[in-house]
Amino acid sequence: MLYFVQQLANGITLGSIYALIAIGYTLVYGILGMINFAHGEIYMIGAYLGIITIGLAAVFGISSTPVALFLALLVAVVVTAAYGWTMERIAYRPLRRAPRLSPLISAIGMSLFFQNAVQLAQGAKDLALPPLLPGGFVFLADSRLPIQVSYVQAILVAVTVTVMAGLGLFIRLTRTGMAMRALEQDQVMAALLGVDVDRTIGQTFILGSALAALAGVLVSLHYGLVNFSIGFLAGIKAFTAAVLGGIGSVPGAMLGGVFLGLIEAMTSAYLSTELKDVFSFGILALVLIVRPTGILGRPHMEKV
């Protein structure tokens, strides 16, 4: 039982990472109806920026861990948000009225461009980060299998829950959030009612990219290693989480991420690490057969 609880904690941590990345997919899909396959690379760039900023902070004599982490998050979020806005402006906006296949190809091109650019700049080897927040919470320490939750795991889950709650309020209560919801319903009608479509879509990319960078920095703290290819697999998993929860739904991205993380953790613990992807995608297929829109997704209404 204690072993199960430990895997539950590990699965929720992994699912929190997927959820943060999945939000970017679901926001863009909800408004534009396209899949931004370069989103995983934004997450990867955020992880690199976090490690580089922490290294530079040490070089300049900043020994305070909270200050170094704050600077890493700030730099990663600001720079990747700029990447997201630029990517939308250059790669997607000119293709907004093109056939659906065109922005998809453009997204794949941006993904490959970011991977190769980072590989050229940082090399193909892993970039390591020493543990900045060692230690953690130990529950039932006197038992045969004490439950351990590291400080980074606790921070990751707390940040994810806080971001989800804040994002929900942002979308529900702010003018930008209402504009996003209006575009999700009908872009033409929203434009007629005075919504600035281009600016709102740009803000959506900025928001999604910032959250991906947040996940990247936290993951680099958790695993301590990054390389130029981590964005591809994480992006595929996060996209799977978004589809599982119901792509276009922010709560669905959270639910799908946690669900996927739990599946992987339990499969790795009780069966085999090599089988975790088989079970993850197998359950995704089963869910989509029974409920094609995902767990919290809504049926697409064709506008006439």
Side-chain angles (χ1 to χ4, degrees):
M1 183 62 187
L2 294 179
Y3 185 67
F4 174 81
V5 175
Q6 179 67 66
Q7 299 312 315
L8 198 64
N10 295 340
I12 291 174
T13 304
L14 182 61
S16 299
I17 298 168
Y18 291 151
L20 278 176
I21 309 172
I23 290 176
Y25 283 107
T26 210
L27 283 176
V28 171
Y29 184 87
I31 291 178
L32 291 178
M34 63 161 281
I35 299 166
N36 177 19
F37 276 114
H39 189 65
E41 275 58 49
I42 295 291
Y43 151 82
M44 175 267 293
I45 291 171
Y48 266 99
L49 287 170
I51 289 184
I52 291 170
T53 305
I54 290 170
L56 288 175
V59 169
F60 286 102
I62 299 175
S63 57
S64 169
T65 300
V67 173
L69 286 178
F70 173 76
L71 289 175
L73 287 171
L74 182 66
V75 170
V77 166
V78 170
V79 174
T80 54
Y83 270 114
W85 180 85
T86 307
M87 180 171 61
E88 189 276 331
R89 191 73 179 81
I90 295 175
Y92 301 143
R93 188 177 298 183
L95 301 174
R96 202 173 291 165
R97 299 184 188 282
R100 283 177 175 266
L101 195 58
S102 300
L104 182 64
I105 294 172
S106 183
I108 294 172
M110 289 303 300
S111 171
L112 294 174
F113 170 78
F114 283 136
Q115 281 190 36
N116 285 282
V118 172
Q119 187 180 7
L120 284 172
Q122 297 295 325
K125 293 183 179 178
D126 292 342
L127 193 62
L129 177 70
L132 291 183
L133 297 171
F137 304 101
V138 179
F139 302 97
L140 303 174
D142 297 332
S143 66
R144 192 166 60 88
L145 283 174
I147 300 168
Q148 300 181 27
V149 178
S150 70
Y151 291 136
V152 176
Q153 282 181 295
I155 291 173
L156 220 161
V157 174
V159 167
T160 302
V161 172
T162 304
V163 165
M164 290 293 171
L167 184 63
L169 293 174
F170 176 81
I171 291 176
R172 185 179 299 273
L173 300 178
T174 66
R175 290 179 63 85
T176 303
M178 287 188 276
M180 290 177 178
R181 285 190 286 150
L183 290 189
E184 182 188 4
Q185 296 296 318
D186 192 324
Q187 284 194 24
V188 175
M189 184 57 71
L192 290 173
L193 293 174
V195 175
D196 189 330
V197 175
D198 289 340
R199 188 176 66 180
T200 305
I201 290 175
Q203 289 168 337
T204 303
F205 273 84
I206 288 172
L207 185 59
S209 300
L211 294 179
L214 188 60
V217 174
L218 294 174
V219 165
S220 65
L221 292 175
H222 184 45
Y223 292 112
L225 284 175
V226 299
N227 61 56
F228 72 95
S229 64
I230 61 168
F232 177 76
L233 186 58
I236 293 293
K237 294 291 182 64
F239 175 64
T240 303
V243 174
L244 191 61
I247 194 161
S249 164
V250 172
M254 178 76 181
L255 182 63
V258 172
F259 192 34
L260 187 66
L262 289 173
I263 293 170
E264 291 195 358
M266 295 301 173
T267 305
S268 300
Y270 291 102
L271 296 174
S272 168
T273 305
E274 286 76 16
L275 292 176
K276 65 179 184 179
D277 291 340
V278 176
F279 271 79
S280 299
F281 290 108
I283 290 176
L284 171 66
L286 287 176
V287 169
L288 293 182
I289 289 171
V290 177
R291 188 173 172 80
T293 56
I295 299 171
L296 296 183
R298 291 173 299 178
H300 177 70
M301 301 296 290
E302 196 69 37
K303 299 178 180 69
V304 296

